[in-house]
Amino acid sequence: MPAIPLAKAPQPSATDPAQIRNFCIIAHIDHGKSTLADRMLGITEVVEQRNMRAQYLDRMDIERERGITIKSQAVRLPWRSGIDGKEYILNMIDTPGHVDFTYEVSRSLAACEGAILLVDCAQGIEAQTLANLYLAMENNLTIIPVLNKIDLPAAQPEKFAEELAKLIGCKPEDCLRVSGKTGDGVVELLDQIVELIPAPVGDANAPARALIFDSVYDTYRGVVTYVRVVDGHLSTRDQIQMFSTGVRHEMLEVGVISPEPVVSKGLGVGEVGYVITGVKDVRQSRVGDTITTYNHPAQTALAGYKDPKPMVFSGLFPLDGADYPLLREALDKLQLNDAALVFEPESSAALGFGFRCGFLGLLHMEIVRERLEREAGLSLISTAPSVVYRVFRDDGKEMIVTNPSEFPDGKIARVDEPIVRATVLAPAEFIGTIMELCQERRGTLLGMDYLSEDRVEIRYTLPLAEIVFDFFDQLKSRTKGYASLDYEPIGEAEGDLVKVDILLQGEHVDAFSAIVHKDKAYAYGVMMTSKLRELIPRQQFEVPIQAAIGSRIIARESIRAIRKDVLAKCYGGDISRKRKLLEKQKEGKKRMKMVGRVEVPQEAFIAALTTDADADKAKKAK
Amino acid sequence: MSGAAPLSFYIHIPYCVKRCGYCDFNTYTPSELKDGGTLADVSGDYIDLLLKEVEQAAREVPNALPVPTIFFGGGTPTLMEPADLGRVLNAIEGSFGFAPDIEITIEANPDTVTLEKLQALRQIGINRVSFGMQSAVPHVLQVLDRTHNPENVTKATNWAREAGFEHVSVDLIYGIPGESIADWQKSIDTALSLPIDHISAYALIVETGTKLANQVKRGEIVMPDDDETADKYLLADSAFRTGGFGWYELSNWARAGGECRHNVAYWLGANWWGLGPGAHSHIDGKRWWNVKHPTAYRDRMIANESPAQDSETLSAEEKESERIMLAIRMPAGIPLATLDSPTHERLLPYVTSGALDENAWQAGSVVLTASGRLIADRIVREILL
Ligand SMILES: Nc1nc2c(ncn2[C@@H]2O[C@H](COP(=O)(O)OP(=O)(O)O)[C@@H](O)[C@H]2O)c(=O)[nH]1
Ligand code: SF4
Ligand SMILES: [Mg+2]
């Protein structure tokens, strides 16, 4: 029996590093990471059969529904190897799977010695997998290539074994074959983890150093910080200190997750577990930071700490202005658990009071918005996402612009914008389409490789702003959903950028301003003015809608004055009906936002700020 | 209820031979009310029910002054025997008395009346008839699902005069899918050539749940552009006025003395009692309405219960809303003195844009111009904010 009862297994704080294997699973969304993790929990018997449920480790509702993992988890799995018959502790670290969380992924990887590269053998490797694989290789992890879903009729294990072998430089026969669904091959995989992945190495007698690879706010227990001990020992008796902040904390609890929290005396070299220190906010216990003990502090931090840096900004406004305090409260609460989320108050002439929020990327933005709406019951309008521009004025002054409405009007010497390196994986038949799209989006081709006969990896540099616009939706629709995308920031570059303003009857509508490439300013202007013409109801007077760069008008439309707004009949029974209708319309009038003298219904703002792709999503969600 | 004021009556006849595609009135074909039923089957005791309601009215409003106006509407009131309608009139007269100059109107379908029928209706005291003409153009009538022959209107109005009706009116509808400006002009000209003293003209409204609404939804019928319908209103207003018909309400024009006093009573907030299923009543700021379905109405009346389904007592604010929204539809308009100065400010742009009559404004009233009448609801919202 390869599973070991927890009580009889090597105990935390007293496990020889030689018995420990720390690994993570790298997989593209839907390639079966959560399902495989479920099987591992079952086979190692840390979760009893009757308590098992699908996606056991994905805790948040939003994760379960979207099938994505936002926050990683670390699970301690005792295992007796079928090869040498000895007892081991496998720590499975579940990494977040999306491009926005690359830094968090890299910290999870840094806590491991090995990675399972899990590939759906009906799909093949995807851009996401590739990006994370490169990260794992950079961290010198041992890679175990695993083909999943071998039970599927459409499985092509031979084909994808070739692909994997070529990619990581192994032999096709080295790829393990499993089915997370049936459990086939999972026992062998656990044994191979023991065989192939090196045991952690560290100095048990040195001052303690532990890497924070995750930090989660818990309503009842405060912040739970997940750590991997590199040197020394952490115990409940210690006071600890964070390297980046220098702040000292009491150690209230130390433990491991198996997969429910189990309190332990401490954690030794190579072990993975959690500490609770009473901090109330994840920003005091940041991913990537090093924990040491206060009494015997280490001299140097573990490498690789970075402050999370928001890449995408958007204004969030409550639909009902009265909800502003609620929105603030909800953002404060989310920030307890999200060190990457930043926000500051913003006021818009058109949308009222709200917050300018910074996110790691589009998914992060969507998740935050969804959580605000779901958990705080708020209805929100969000403005079009913007990247961070560095604007150099003629007078030599430099400013950071995250909100198009703050883009300076005066003379500008130069504007720099963030650039990413994007990797697209797709069937070879879409090469032309993808290159066309990247070209339209100001991309520069870096290179292209065939992963197999009919699948290619295409690499481009692209302005992040183009990706943020609707690149991903376009890529998916133009490749019938077959292409996958990954990107990472690589710096900034000068862009030929201008701010396009939208004017209603000569009045600026701040919420609709956008910073766009000069060549696309006209298209943006035409798109926005004609959209608004459809959305804004006719007024008592003609309303010109203009798009302008500075004082130069680049597109115009107009809404004709209304000529008919009356119900023809009003007899006996119509009177109360009509009065009630008027009362309703009066309410509607109150919800109108005034832009100068123009009444703009809130729905028009929402619709104008929503891309077509968003609108489709919203429709599907209904 | 005090009700010490003249009390008008509306009498609802909820039957039609066939339902027109655009109509959402509270009316039923005999077979809708009873499988395979004839008109006689379904309406046999209807007059008796109305008489019971007249008795209720007499008990409820004992102080009412003599009746100034009565209106038979529907449905198709001419489906009933004139003698039967006469029984209702007798009952009302018996209980309340008639004002000497009483106006009694009946709506009539120009296709189904005969000279004899009109004479019989005149005989029982009805002195005003309003014909549902709708349009003079066959392809337009077809869209409305009205099959009548436009010639019939000429015949019917002439018979009405021959029968001795003092007032004859026609109803027109414009803004109908497929109706050109020329088509509408033809309807206007035809109406003006008739021996009538009153015209109502309504823009077609697509009411939810009608056959027309479904056709529009399915894209089989495209509603004309609002601007074109606005043009048609202006065309009609100017033609009617040139033809000697002055506007006295947004959708109503009459020769001097031809105004429908019953409808004016509605707009001035007078008291009236509506008899029959779905009929609305108003007495001294209280409104109520009867149960809608004829069968439900019958049950109530047979059980000697009030047919009222629900009622509302208007608050001061609601009364004011009604005053504004009704008064603005008439040429006297709203005295500026009854509106506060921020409201004056908000209305000024409408004077400038020509929606409000400048001379009337100087003279102290808010009066709509022809183009202003087309945005009356917007101006009402502006006033009520
Ligand atoms: N047939 C089959 N389906 C699987 C297997 N593993 C996962 N799936 C299915 O693939 C989908 C995605 O799996 P999930 O574990 O959520 O993927 P994750 O996004 O990588 O966590 C789910 O519908 C699973 O039921 C497998 O081995 N065989
Ligand atoms: S005749 Fe009049 S009441 Fe009857 S269905 Fe037609 S439009 Fe409606
Ligand atoms: Mg998952």
Side-chain angles (χ1 to χ4, degrees):
Chain A
M1 195 58 201
I4 316 170
L6 270 184
K8 293 192 179 154
Q11 293 302 299
S13 180
T15 306
D16 180 356
Q19 287 175 284
I20 298 175
R21 299 294 181 270
N22 295 321
F23 73 99
C24 60
I25 305 175
I26 295 173
H28 189 71
I29 288 165
D30 284 344
H31 280 210
K33 184 164 77 173
S34 298
T35 308
L36 178 62
D38 287 349
R39 287 298 79 70
M40 290 182 168
L41 297 180
I43 290 173
T44 59
E45 293 177 14
V46 296
V47 178
E48 284 178 53
Q49 201 55 43
R50 64 191 161 91
N51 292 333
M52 197 62 207
R53 52 186 155 76
Q55 314 258 323
Y56 194 93
L57 299 175
D58 296 350
R59 307 238 162 172
M60 255 183 277
D61 277 0
I62 199 167
E63 290 185 1
R64 220 174 275 274
E65 276 168 31
R66 289 179 169 227
I68 54 172
T69 306
I70 301 166
K71 284 293 178 181
S72 49
Q73 297 280 345
V75 190
R76 184 177 173 104
L77 307 168
W79 182 248
R80 187 184 302 281
S81 162
I83 299 173
D84 64 13
K86 290 189 192 151
E87 293 180 345
Y88 292 92
I89 291 298
L90 313 183
N91 289 309
M92 173 170 62
I93 295 171
D94 190 18
T95 56
H98 190 272
V99 48
D100 287 357
F101 304 99
T102 303
Y103 177 67
E104 301 203 0
V105 175
S106 82
R107 294 307 82 199
S108 304
L109 295 177
C112 304
E113 279 74 31
I116 293 172
L117 174 59
L118 187 71
V119 173
D120 181 336
C121 67
Q123 305 283 335
I125 198 147
E126 304 280 359
Q128 202 82 75
T129 335
L130 206 57
N132 288 347
L133 172 64
Y134 293 147
L135 272 177
M137 288 168 144
E138 277 168 30
N139 278 286
N140 289 318
L141 303 197
T142 298
I143 311 291
I144 304 179
V146 178
L147 295 165
N148 189 26
K149 308 198 188 180
I150 51 167
D151 59 295
L152 282 179
Q156 293 178 277
E158 276 74 29
K159 173 176 172 182
F160 294 116
E162 289 279 349
E163 208 176 276
L164 283 186
K166 206 169 136 191
L167 205 64
I168 62 177
C170 65
K171 297 197 207 82
E173 319 71 271
D174 294 337
C175 297
L176 299 183
R177 298 182 182 190
V178 306
S179 165
K181 187 175 172 187
T182 65
D184 250 15
V186 179
V187 167
E188 290 75 6
L189 171 58
L190 290 168
D191 285 345
Q192 286 303 316
I193 290 171
V194 172
E195 279 300 294
L196 299 174
I197 297 179
V201 190
D203 184 348
N205 299 313
R209 291 200 297 173
L211 169 70
I212 300 179
F213 64 88
D214 201 0
S215 198
V216 183
Y217 174 78
D218 180 300
T219 327
Y220 301 103
R221 312 199 297 163
V223 171
V224 180
T225 300
Y226 290 85
V227 296
R228 147 75 193 265
V229 177
V230 175
D231 292 322
H233 190 275
L234 290 180
S235 92
T236 339
R237 292 185 306 272
D238 294 326
Q239 285 194 330
I240 57 160
Q241 192 175 354
M242 305 290 178
F243 250 92
S244 75
T245 59
V247 177
R248 189 183 357 161
H249 298 284
E250 293 299 321
M251 185 83 107
L252 302 180
E253 186 178 320
V254 180
V256 296
I257 306 285
S258 201
E260 299 307 326
V262 179
V263 178
S264 75
K265 279 185 286 194
L267 294 171
V269 167
E271 285 196 286
V272 172
Y274 68 89
V275 301
I276 295 176
T277 63
V279 308
K280 283 279 176 284
D281 172 341
V282 293
R283 282 171 300 169
Q284 295 169 274
S285 182
R286 289 178 180 261
V287 171
D289 204 353
T290 302
I291 292 180
T292 187
T293 52
Y294 181 71
N295 289 329
H296 301 285
Q299 293 309 305
T300 48
L302 299 163
Y305 176 72
K306 274 199 280 185
D307 262 339
K309 196 168 135 224
M311 300 290 289
V312 173
F313 285 78
S314 162
L316 287 181
F317 296 84
L319 266 189
D320 179 347
D323 284 343
Y324 176 76
L326 267 182
L327 175 57
R328 174 190 286 281
E329 237 171 74
L331 280 166
D332 279 336
K333 198 169 148 209
L334 274 193
Q335 208 175 35
L336 293 176
N337 201 16
D338 190 342
L341 173 65
V342 296
F343 59 90
E344 60 179 39
E346 174 182 9
S347 86
S348 151
L351 302 177
F353 291 102
F355 292 93
R356 190 81 192 157
C357 303
F359 309 96
L360 293 172
L362 288 178
L363 181 78
H364 187 210
M365 178 174 93
E366 255 183 71
I367 288 168
V368 168
R369 186 187 158 146
E370 200 172 315
R371 291 189 61 182
L372 289 170
E373 296 202 319
R374 180 190 301 223
E375 291 164 23
L378 290 161
S379 299
L380 301 171
I381 305 186
S382 53
T383 58
S386 163
V387 301
V388 181
Y389 297 96
R390 194 184 299 276
V391 181
F392 300 89
R393 294 219 279 227
D394 268 1
D395 59 13
K397 289 207 181 102
E398 179 187 324
M399 63 187 287
I400 297 293
V401 173
T402 63
N403 185 344
S405 67
E406 286 163 8
F407 197 82
D409 287 325
K411 279 274 182 205
I412 285 162
R414 199 176 95 214
V415 183
D416 286 356
E417 61 177 333
I419 301 293
V420 300
R421 179 191 149 104
T423 306
V424 179
L425 261 59
E429 59 179 297
F430 295 115
I431 293 175
T433 317
I434 292 166
M435 290 177 73
E436 195 177 37
L437 175 64
C438 292
Q439 228 70 57
E440 281 170 24
R441 299 305 172 88
R442 304 189 277 139
T444 308
L445 182 64
L446 292 175
M448 186 168 84
D449 284 307
Y450 277 80
L451 296 171
S452 59
E453 224 161 74
D454 56 356
R455 286 180 19 104
V456 289
E457 174 193 344
I458 308 174
R459 293 181 303 278
Y460 265 90
T461 57
L462 283 159
L464 177 61
E466 296 288 343
I467 301 230
V468 161
F469 188 53
D470 66 344
F471 185 85
F472 189 61
D473 293 317
Q474 282 295 321
L475 180 68
K476 281 285 174 194
S477 77
R478 294 194 200 180
T479 60
K480 305 196 174 81
Y482 280 113
S484 60
L485 167 74
D486 189 72
Y487 59 87
E488 54 172 338
I490 54 165
E492 292 177 3
E494 181 173 357
D496 202 352
L497 302 169
V498 292
K499 178 171 77 154
V500 179
D501 290 317
I502 302 294
L503 296 92
L504 271 186
Q505 250 221 341
E507 298 266 346
H508 257 107
V509 191
D510 52 9
F512 296 145
S513 292
I515 297 169
V516 295
H517 188 259
K518 214 172 105 215
D519 294 348
K520 290 180 188 158
Y522 174 72
Y524 177 80
V526 168
M527 184 272 291
M528 209 62 191
T529 49
S530 56
K531 209 167 176 180
L532 289 173
R533 194 186 63 141
E534 296 304 317
L535 291 168
I536 298 175
R538 295 168 66 178
Q539 316 270 316
Q540 195 214 333
F541 38 82
E542 175 166 329
V543 178
I545 312 171
Q546 296 161 313
I549 299 173
S551 57
R552 189 163 56 88
I553 305 298
I554 56 169
R556 71 177 81 227
E557 285 278 358
S558 82
I559 305 170
R560 288 173 300 161
I562 188 149
R563 292 198 43 213
K564 185 170 167 292
D565 182 356
V566 66
L567 280 181
K569 278 193 184 183
C570 193
Y571 297 105
D574 304 323
I575 295 173
S576 35
R577 183 161 76 137
K578 195 174 155 78
R579 191 192 70 241
K580 283 165 193 157
L581 182 71
L582 269 170
E583 281 159 6
K584 232 166 97 188
Q585 289 172 334
K586 251 166 69 182
E587 281 309 304
K589 198 177 149 95
K590 283 190 197 141
R591 283 199 312 272
M592 294 272 188
K593 304 265 179 185
M594 296 301 295
V595 175
R597 288 164 60 215
V598 185
E599 292 174 351
V600 184
Q602 209 155 43
E603 300 78 58
F605 273 107
I606 300 172
L609 290 169
T610 312
T611 63
D612 296 345
D614 285 346
D616 284 351
K617 271 182 229 156
K619 254 180 249 155
K620 271 179 214 142
K622 269 185 198 153
Chain B
M1 221 174 296
S2 124
L7 180 65
S8 290
F9 275 87
Y10 171 78
I11 303 156
H12 191 64
I13 307 294
Y15 310 113
C16 286
V17 175
K18 167 179 173 287
R19 169 155 318 244
C20 306
Y22 64 98
C23 173
D24 76 334
F25 298 154
N26 188 31
T27 182
Y28 306 84
T29 62
S31 64
E32 278 171 355
L33 291 173
K34 186 175 170 203
D35 222 5
T38 63
L39 182 67
D41 294 340
V42 296
S43 68
D45 61 351
Y46 183 63
I47 298 296
D48 299 331
L49 307 178
L50 293 177
L51 297 183
K52 276 176 174 268
E53 200 183 348
V54 174
E55 283 169 26
Q56 290 185 1
R59 281 197 300 273
E60 287 279 330
V61 216
N63 304 327
L65 303 182
V67 177
T69 69
I70 297 177
F71 196 105
F72 287 98
T76 313
T78 48
L79 287 178
M80 307 304 283
E81 283 306 319
D84 282 335
L85 298 179
R87 287 165 60 206
V88 183
L89 292 179
N90 287 337
I92 295 173
E93 185 172 21
S95 298
F96 297 90
F98 281 175
D101 60 347
I102 188 167
E103 169 197 282
I104 306 177
T105 306
I106 188 164
E107 290 178 337
N109 182 336
D111 295 302
T112 54
V113 292
T114 57
L115 176 60
E116 294 69 36
K117 177 108 185 184
L118 285 163
Q119 281 166 335
L121 290 168
R122 182 71 198 86
Q123 211 76 62
I124 59 165
I126 297 176
N127 51 23
R128 186 172 180 276
V129 58
S130 170
F131 289 107
M133 168 177 170
Q134 327 307 3
S135 169
V137 182
H139 74 253
V140 172
L141 286 166
Q142 206 167 15
V143 175
L144 293 180
D145 239 1
R146 307 274 302 214
T147 45
H148 69 76
N149 179 350
E151 320 269 271
N152 290 346
V153 182
T154 313
K155 253 190 263 170
T157 48
N158 280 306
W159 284 336
R161 287 297 187 191
E162 194 180 333
F165 281 91
E166 293 156 52
H167 301 293
V168 182
S169 173
V170 293
D171 279 3
L172 295 172
I173 299 181
Y174 61 94
I176 300 162
E179 178 195 56
S180 66
I181 294 279
D183 290 337
W184 176 231
Q185 183 71 56
K186 177 153 189 236
S187 296
I188 293 170
D189 294 343
T190 310
L192 286 172
S193 73
L194 299 172
I196 56 176
D197 63 350
H198 186 280
I199 303 173
S200 302
Y202 309 111
L204 178 64
I205 299 173
V206 181
E207 302 284 2
T208 42
T210 58
K211 177 177 158 195
L212 178 67
N214 282 325
Q215 289 169 314
V216 170
K217 203 159 114 199
R218 286 197 299 267
E220 292 164 13
I221 283 184
V222 180
M223 283 301 286
D225 176 58
D226 263 3
D227 285 1
E228 188 187 298
T229 304
D231 287 336
K232 285 179 181 168
Y233 178 85
L234 297 179
L235 187 68
D237 180 63
S238 116
F240 295 158
R241 281 188 296 152
T242 310
F245 293 74
W247 78 282
Y248 72 102
E249 195 264 355
L250 222 138
S251 302
N252 290 279
W253 292 260
R255 291 191 191 281
E259 297 84 1
C260 174
R261 284 164 41 218
H262 184 83
N263 288 340
V264 171
Y266 289 146
W267 301 323
L268 295 180
N271 288 350
W272 83 86
W273 189 294
L275 301 172
H280 284 238
S281 303
H282 168 255
I283 290 176
D284 296 344
K286 181 180 175 189
R287 296 192 182 283
W288 72 90
W289 43 96
N290 288 350
V291 291
K292 201 168 169 197
H293 200 275
T295 311
Y297 177 78
R298 168 177 291 118
D299 293 346
R300 293 278 185 105
M301 298 320 295
I302 286 175
N304 286 317
E305 288 169 10
S306 159
Q309 182 189 346
D310 206 351
S311 70
E312 59 182 2
T313 303
L314 301 176
S315 67
E317 195 189 341
E318 287 166 336
K319 279 184 190 159
E320 178 64 2
S321 297
E322 290 192 355
R323 178 184 75 93
I324 301 285
M325 87 184 193
L326 294 171
I328 204 164
R329 297 172 70 95
M330 293 184 283
I334 306 165
L336 266 172
T338 63
L339 304 174
D340 59 15
S341 67
T343 308
H344 295 190
E345 287 299 312
R346 290 200 304 279
L347 289 179
L348 258 178
Y350 291 92
V351 180
T352 318
S353 71
L356 294 180
D357 187 299
E358 173 123 41
N359 294 330
W361 180 268
Q362 298 303 343
S365 306
V366 179
V367 175
L368 299 172
T369 61
S371 65
R373 277 176 254 154
L374 283 162
I375 55 166
D377 288 356
R378 170 168 292 253
I379 293 174
V380 169
R381 288 198 297 277
E382 200 73 76
I383 296 173
L384 298 177
L385 199 69

